[in-house]
Amino acid sequence: MFIPKRVIFEKGSLDTEIGQNIYNKVKDNPKIEIINASSNRIKSNIPGDNLYEQYRSGKETLVVGERKSLKFQTCKPSANYQLPLVSGCMGRCEYCYLNTQLGDKPYVRVFVNIDEILKKAKQYIDERLPSVTIFEGAATSDPIPLEPYTNALKKTIEFIGKEEKGRFRFVTKYNDVDSLLDAKHNNHTEIRFSINTPKVIDIYEHHTASASKRIEAAVKVANAGYQIGFIIAPVFLYDNWKEEYRDLIKSIKDKLPHDFDKQIIFEVISHRYTTKAKNRILEIFPETTLPMNDDDRKFKYGQFGYGKYVYSKEELADMKDFFIKEIKYIFPNSLIKYVI
Ligand code: SF4
């Protein structure tokens, strides 16, 4: 659970059920500063003179407010729309894509008007009938650490459970899933866990759950009947990477009940970076050991002029071959969506 250093309540948010619930949870904690602010003053309440400090104080800040725009962003190719429940994340993964997305103060924000957001989701589902509409709940956040404050995931899972043509999916690096186990999901929600070798997690994924805790959480939600998936990402090709990623895949098998025979979905993504991300990371984590030496990588031109640095063709072919063989050997019944 996310324990912020400061909670900023935007105008009107304390008059809502979620706002009150959050206030009651934090009001007696002397270590949490409570700030009432009008929405245009959020950033001025978050201290920091440079990006390094602003990043850290932003990550310690919870903003409670209304989601004003109810237009959902598209989310291709994995889903039709992003479902805006939370934005930002308490985690401090050095390579996180949010580092370049959330500006100079990447605070965590929860929305108090979940009912309105779900009503809008219903409209999107109806507009696309008879097709199925898939919503992604973690496009700009990791929603799990906020769940004790909002109950938003459970509400969404049960809402989508009742929608014949609605589906929901989200991904997390956390393990606090107990409140979701009795949700009436009706097999309409897929929960993915982003995992990596213990070494990568220790070095780069600060303030997140360990690999074994994430896998234990995956087993719990699988036992509760949810479709589960694992995103192994970002894959780093360091000394001994094959042994360590093999052990990681085996550790999933070891934790599952022996008779578990449902299909598990795997997605595997190699490490890559853009120059913009690299520059931002070097400001926030000046001591980073992330492998970002351009000469060791291949430059791949992307859309809109945003190229990225990826592993070489031969390295990627070897990686693809390795993961497909290992996953299929350990989980013959699995679905490997992609290894890229
Ligand atoms: Fe980013 Fe995910 Fe890490 Fe949060 S847990 S900092 S969203 S990579």
Side-chain angles (χ1 to χ4, degrees), residues 38-150:
S38 60
S39 59
N40 55 2
R41 290 190 53 239
I42 292 173
K43 286 197 178 179
S44 63
N45 286 297
I46 304 176
D49 292 332
N50 50 49
L51 209 54
Y52 180 94
E53 292 171 8
Q54 288 162 347
Y55 173 83
R56 283 155 182 81
S57 44
K59 289 280 184 181
E60 292 166 338
T61 304
L62 174 62
V63 177
V64 184
E66 192 178 292
R67 170 82 185 187
K68 301 223 166 55
S69 163
L70 288 179
K71 188 174 180 324
F72 294 3
Q73 303 282 316
T74 54
C75 192
K76 285 180 180 152
S78 57
N80 298 103
Y81 296 104
Q82 300 181 10
L83 189 63
L85 301 174
V86 176
S87 84
C89 171
M90 64 172 270
R92 299 186 193 184
C93 303
E94 295 186 18
Y95 57 76
C96 177
Y97 68 107
L98 294 181
N99 291 339
T100 45
Q101 299 254 317
L102 292 181
D104 51 6
K105 290 179 184 169
Y107 49 82
V108 182
R109 182 175 196 147
V110 293
F111 300 116
V112 292
N113 51 334
I114 302 283
D115 292 336
E116 252 185 308
I117 293 168
L118 293 181
K119 209 164 140 193
K120 187 71 195 177
K122 167 84 178 140
Q123 268 181 30
Y124 280 111
I125 294 171
D126 290 347
E127 274 168 21
R128 286 177 38 85
L129 287 174
S131 301
V132 164
T133 300
I134 307 171
F135 297 93
E136 168 61 57
T140 57
S141 68
D142 190 314
I144 285 283
L146 280 310
E147 189 59 6
Y149 292 108
T150 62

Side-chain angles (χ1 to χ4, degrees), residues 57 133 153 181 270 330:
S57 44
T133 300
L153 281 175
L181 299 180
S270 61
I330 299 171

